């Protein structure tokens, strides 16, 4: 259920409306293209995670394949992305609560939501899994119910005339499909969380295998099919789409109280994202500390096998970002948001590069570990690297996300500079040169190799 729900967030329930407004009915192709790219990345990640399940998985793989600089860069960029997402989701949830309780300020509701989910993560990894199971169940049930209702409406007389009724299938031109991909791809970030959580499961290989094999169905059904039904039912240029496309479609069909029902679903998606964000940020921080890329006090585990300090740091920074959103939403918080917006793409790019290198190494050293294999290797891997590069370059051409690209590059530069300073201070250099260094846990002192988070 974590793998099923991880790809369903507020980006689908709310953000899809803005994409449809910008792209028209062809938005369904933007979702299909972006989803296909994520499917390829997940397949590569699944191959590595089944062969070598690790906490903080893809940061570790980047270190093995490309050198310590890549491990440091991927880990800190991904951690930074999620601590900012915590603030975004907490503010979104607080805004929904404010509709029900107008007298409660957003900062207070955000604090309450973050405290509740922090407490959940501090108890044990089992409690995280239980909460995420139920959050994911609600989201999946909502999507399935919407698809059943909307498909029934279309089949029994609603028709699909809206696909071409307002200026055709691509009313703003074919290039908007590409610009839509640039925006849409960020809605899929989170699918990879299952590979991190698998490291703490009883059967990590089987868990990742199931998550990887189901990603195609998740993308095609939850995103592509639901967006297709929305653009088939509603005019793409409807102003109501930007507020809540699912609620607007249900209103059109005639479902009573659709807006309130969707508010509950969106709040569930927000809580799920907060829950997962705290989990994945803390595990990535733990992994970085275990490798010597973060302060060593971060590797401390509480009696339940949970990296409590890493969780509290992520929660604290997330709430400070919420405060920035309240005090200076158009300056400080917007800057933080834009600096984190593109980093997931750089992380995906390094995941693909890591798989390209590690696959060759695994075939040579341990071919039996390759229980999941990337399709058409290495050609689809090269294609994925090129496609991600095209998306990154395209960001410079799309006005709405151009600032995210430049500030995202600033974030990458800052992390690389931090690695350079750390290396100089510690007097270390990447082993092997040329990016061929490989992290070997057995080479580190025993005291710096604590047990992985547990708490099952």
């Amino acid at each position: 259920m974590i793998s099923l729900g991880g790809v369903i967030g507020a980006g689908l329930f709310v953000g899809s409306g803005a994409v449809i407004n910008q792209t028209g009915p062809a938005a369904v192709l933007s979702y299909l293209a972006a989803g296909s790219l994520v499917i390829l990345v997940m397949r590569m990640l699944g191959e590595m995670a089944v062969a070598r399940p690790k906490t903080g998985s893809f940061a570790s793989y980047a270190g093995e394949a490309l050198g310590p600089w890549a491990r440091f860069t991927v880990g800190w960029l991904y951690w930074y992305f999620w601590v900012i997402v915590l603030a975004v989701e907490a503010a979104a949830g607080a805004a929904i609560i404010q509709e029900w309780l107008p007298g409660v300020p957003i900062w207070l509701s955000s604090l309450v939501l973050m405290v509740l989910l922090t407490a959940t993560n501090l108890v044990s990894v089992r409690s995280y899994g239980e909460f995420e199971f139920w959050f994911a169940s609600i989201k999946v049930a909502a999507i399935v119910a919407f698809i059943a209702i909307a498909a029934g409406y279309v089949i029994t007389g609603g028709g699909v005339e809206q696909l071409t009724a307002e200026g055709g299938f691509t009313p703003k031109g074919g290039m908007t499909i590409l610009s839509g991909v640039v925006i849409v791809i960020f809605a899929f970030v989170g699918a990879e969380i299952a590979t991190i959580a698998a490291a703490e499961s009883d059967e990590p290989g089987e868990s990742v295998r199931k998550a990887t094999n189901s990603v195609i169905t998740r993308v095609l059904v939850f995103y592509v099919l639901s967006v297709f039904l929305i653009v088939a039912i509603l005019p793409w240029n409807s102003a109501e789409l930007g507020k809540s496309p699912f609620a607007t479609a249900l209103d059109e069909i005639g479902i009573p109280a659709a807006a309130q029902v969707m508010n509950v679903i969106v709040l569930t998606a927000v809580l799920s994202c907060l829950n997962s964000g705290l989990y994945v940020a803390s595990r990535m921080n733990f992994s970085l500390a275990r490798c010597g890329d973060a302060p060593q006090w971060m590797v401390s585990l509480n009696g339940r096998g949970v990296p409590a300090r890493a969780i509290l740091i992520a929660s604290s920074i997330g709430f400070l970002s919420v405060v920035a959103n309240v005090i200076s939403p158009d300056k400080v918080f917007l800057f933080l948001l834009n600096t984190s917006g593109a980093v997931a793409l750089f992380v995906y790019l390094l995941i693909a590069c890591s798989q390209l290198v590690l696959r060759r190494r695994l075939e040579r050293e341990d071919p039996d570990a390759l229980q999941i294999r990337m399709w058409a290797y290495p050609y689809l891997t090269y294609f994925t690297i090129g496609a991600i590069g095209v998306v990154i370059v395209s960001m410079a051409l799309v006005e709405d996300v151009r600032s995210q690209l430049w500030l995202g590059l600033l974030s990458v530069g800052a992390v690389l500079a931090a690695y350079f300073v750390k290396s100089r201070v510690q007097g270390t250099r990447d082993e092997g040169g040329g990016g061929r260094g490989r992290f070997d846990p057995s080479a580190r002192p025993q005291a710096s190799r604590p047990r992985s988070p547990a708490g099952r």
Side-chain angles (χ1 to χ4, degrees), residues 288-311:
L288 287 167
R290 188 171 54 177
C291 297
D293 291 330
Q296 287 300 293
W297 52 265
M298 289 284 190
V299 300
S300 175
L301 304 177
N302 65 16
R304 300 181 183 90
V306 173
R309 293 176 180 175
I311 291 173

Short mmCIF file of all heavy atoms in Angstrom, two decimals, residues 288-311:
data_model
loop_
_atom_site.label_atom_id
_atom_site.label_comp_id
_atom_site.label_asym_id
_atom_site.label_seq_id
_atom_site.Cartn_x
_atom_site.Cartn_y
_atom_site.Cartn_z
N LEU A 288 23.30 9.19 5.38
CA LEU A 288 24.41 10.11 5.16
C LEU A 288 25.35 10.13 6.36
O LEU A 288 26.58 10.11 6.20
CB LEU A 288 23.86 11.52 4.90
CG LEU A 288 23.20 11.77 3.54
CD1 LEU A 288 22.43 13.08 3.56
CD2 LEU A 288 24.25 11.77 2.44
N ALA A 289 24.78 10.15 7.56
CA ALA A 289 25.61 10.18 8.76
C ALA A 289 26.41 8.90 8.90
O ALA A 289 27.58 8.91 9.29
CB ALA A 289 24.73 10.41 9.99
N ARG A 290 25.80 7.77 8.57
CA ARG A 290 26.49 6.48 8.68
C ARG A 290 27.69 6.41 7.74
O ARG A 290 28.67 5.72 8.01
CB ARG A 290 25.51 5.35 8.38
CG ARG A 290 26.07 3.97 8.65
CD ARG A 290 25.01 2.91 8.56
NE ARG A 290 24.29 2.94 7.29
CZ ARG A 290 23.35 2.07 6.96
NH1 ARG A 290 22.98 1.14 7.83
NH2 ARG A 290 22.75 2.14 5.80
N CYS A 291 27.58 7.13 6.61
CA CYS A 291 28.68 7.15 5.64
C CYS A 291 29.69 8.26 5.93
O CYS A 291 30.65 8.43 5.19
CB CYS A 291 28.12 7.34 4.23
SG CYS A 291 27.06 6.00 3.67
N GLY A 292 29.44 9.06 6.97
CA GLY A 292 30.34 10.15 7.28
C GLY A 292 30.05 11.43 6.54
O GLY A 292 30.86 12.36 6.55
N ASP A 293 28.87 11.51 5.89
CA ASP A 293 28.51 12.71 5.14
C ASP A 293 27.59 13.65 5.92
O ASP A 293 27.14 14.66 5.37
CB ASP A 293 27.80 12.31 3.83
CG ASP A 293 28.75 11.62 2.86
OD1 ASP A 293 29.95 11.94 2.91
OD2 ASP A 293 28.30 10.78 2.07
N ALA A 294 27.29 13.32 7.15
CA ALA A 294 26.47 14.16 8.03
C ALA A 294 27.00 13.99 9.45
O ALA A 294 27.75 13.04 9.72
CB ALA A 294 24.99 13.77 7.95
N PRO A 295 26.67 14.89 10.37
CA PRO A 295 27.15 14.77 11.75
C PRO A 295 26.85 13.39 12.34
O PRO A 295 25.75 12.85 12.17
CB PRO A 295 26.37 15.87 12.48
CG PRO A 295 26.08 16.89 11.43
CD PRO A 295 25.85 16.11 10.17
N GLN A 296 27.81 12.84 13.05
CA GLN A 296 27.68 11.47 13.54
C GLN A 296 26.58 11.29 14.58
O GLN A 296 26.07 10.18 14.75
CB GLN A 296 29.02 11.00 14.10
CG GLN A 296 30.06 10.71 13.04
CD GLN A 296 29.61 9.63 12.06
OE1 GLN A 296 29.47 8.48 12.44
NE2 GLN A 296 29.38 10.02 10.81
N TRP A 297 26.18 12.39 15.25
CA TRP A 297 25.10 12.22 16.23
C TRP A 297 23.78 11.89 15.55
O TRP A 297 22.83 11.47 16.19
CB TRP A 297 24.97 13.45 17.12
CG TRP A 297 24.83 14.76 16.41
CD1 TRP A 297 25.83 15.63 16.11
CD2 TRP A 297 23.62 15.36 15.94
NE1 TRP A 297 25.34 16.74 15.47
CE2 TRP A 297 23.98 16.60 15.36
CE3 TRP A 297 22.29 15.00 15.96
CZ2 TRP A 297 23.04 17.46 14.79
CZ3 TRP A 297 21.34 15.84 15.40
CH2 TRP A 297 21.72 17.06 14.83
N MET A 298 23.72 12.04 14.22
CA MET A 298 22.50 11.70 13.48
C MET A 298 22.26 10.19 13.41
O MET A 298 21.15 9.75 13.13
CB MET A 298 22.60 12.24 12.04
CG MET A 298 22.51 13.75 11.94
SD MET A 298 20.81 14.31 12.16
CE MET A 298 21.01 16.04 11.69
N VAL A 299 23.30 9.39 13.63
CA VAL A 299 23.13 7.94 13.51
C VAL A 299 22.55 7.33 14.78
O VAL A 299 22.28 6.13 14.82
CB VAL A 299 24.46 7.22 13.17
CG1 VAL A 299 25.02 7.71 11.86
CG2 VAL A 299 25.46 7.38 14.29
N SER A 300 22.34 8.13 15.79
CA SER A 300 21.81 7.61 17.06
C SER A 300 20.38 7.10 16.88
O SER A 300 19.53 7.77 16.30
CB SER A 300 21.83 8.72 18.11
OG SER A 300 21.22 8.28 19.31
N LEU A 301 20.12 5.90 17.37
CA LEU A 301 18.79 5.30 17.32
C LEU A 301 18.22 5.23 18.72
O LEU A 301 18.94 5.03 19.69
CB LEU A 301 18.85 3.88 16.74
CG LEU A 301 19.49 3.70 15.36
CD1 LEU A 301 19.51 2.24 14.98
CD2 LEU A 301 18.74 4.52 14.32
N ASN A 302 16.91 5.42 18.83
CA ASN A 302 16.29 5.27 20.15
C ASN A 302 16.04 3.79 20.44
O ASN A 302 16.41 2.92 19.65
CB ASN A 302 15.00 6.10 20.25
CG ASN A 302 13.90 5.62 19.31
OD1 ASN A 302 13.95 4.51 18.77
ND2 ASN A 302 12.90 6.46 19.11
N GLY A 303 15.40 3.51 21.56
CA GLY A 303 15.20 2.13 21.98
C GLY A 303 14.33 1.33 21.03
O GLY A 303 14.35 0.10 21.06
N ARG A 304 13.57 2.00 20.16
CA ARG A 304 12.71 1.30 19.21
C ARG A 304 13.37 1.15 17.84
O ARG A 304 12.72 0.76 16.87
CB ARG A 304 11.38 2.04 19.07
CG ARG A 304 10.60 2.17 20.37
CD ARG A 304 9.28 2.90 20.13
NE ARG A 304 8.56 3.09 21.38
CZ ARG A 304 8.70 4.14 22.17
NH1 ARG A 304 9.56 5.10 21.84
NH2 ARG A 304 8.00 4.25 23.28
N GLY A 305 14.66 1.50 17.75
CA GLY A 305 15.36 1.37 16.49
C GLY A 305 15.05 2.46 15.50
O GLY A 305 15.20 2.27 14.29
N VAL A 306 14.61 3.64 15.98
CA VAL A 306 14.23 4.75 15.12
C VAL A 306 15.27 5.86 15.24
O VAL A 306 15.68 6.22 16.34
CB VAL A 306 12.83 5.29 15.53
CG1 VAL A 306 12.49 6.55 14.75
CG2 VAL A 306 11.77 4.22 15.30
N PRO A 307 15.71 6.46 14.11
CA PRO A 307 16.65 7.59 14.17
C PRO A 307 15.93 8.87 14.61
O PRO A 307 15.63 9.75 13.80
CB PRO A 307 17.17 7.68 12.73
CG PRO A 307 16.06 7.15 11.89
CD PRO A 307 15.41 6.07 12.72
N ALA A 308 15.68 8.96 15.92
CA ALA A 308 14.83 10.03 16.46
C ALA A 308 15.41 11.42 16.19
O ALA A 308 14.67 12.36 15.86
CB ALA A 308 14.64 9.83 17.96
N ARG A 309 16.71 11.58 16.32
CA ARG A 309 17.30 12.91 16.12
C ARG A 309 17.13 13.37 14.68
O ARG A 309 16.83 14.54 14.42
CB ARG A 309 18.79 12.87 16.50
CG ARG A 309 19.03 12.64 17.98
CD ARG A 309 20.51 12.51 18.29
NE ARG A 309 20.75 12.29 19.72
CZ ARG A 309 21.94 12.06 20.25
NH1 ARG A 309 23.01 12.02 19.45
NH2 ARG A 309 22.08 11.87 21.54
N ALA A 310 17.31 12.46 13.74
CA ALA A 310 17.14 12.82 12.33
C ALA A 310 15.69 13.21 12.05
O ALA A 310 15.42 14.12 11.27
CB ALA A 310 17.57 11.65 11.45
N ILE A 311 14.74 12.52 12.67
CA ILE A 311 13.32 12.85 12.50
C ILE A 311 13.03 14.24 13.05
O ILE A 311 12.35 15.06 12.41
CB ILE A 311 12.43 11.79 13.18
CG1 ILE A 311 12.52 10.46 12.44
CG2 ILE A 311 10.97 12.26 13.25
CD1 ILE A 311 11.81 9.32 13.14
#
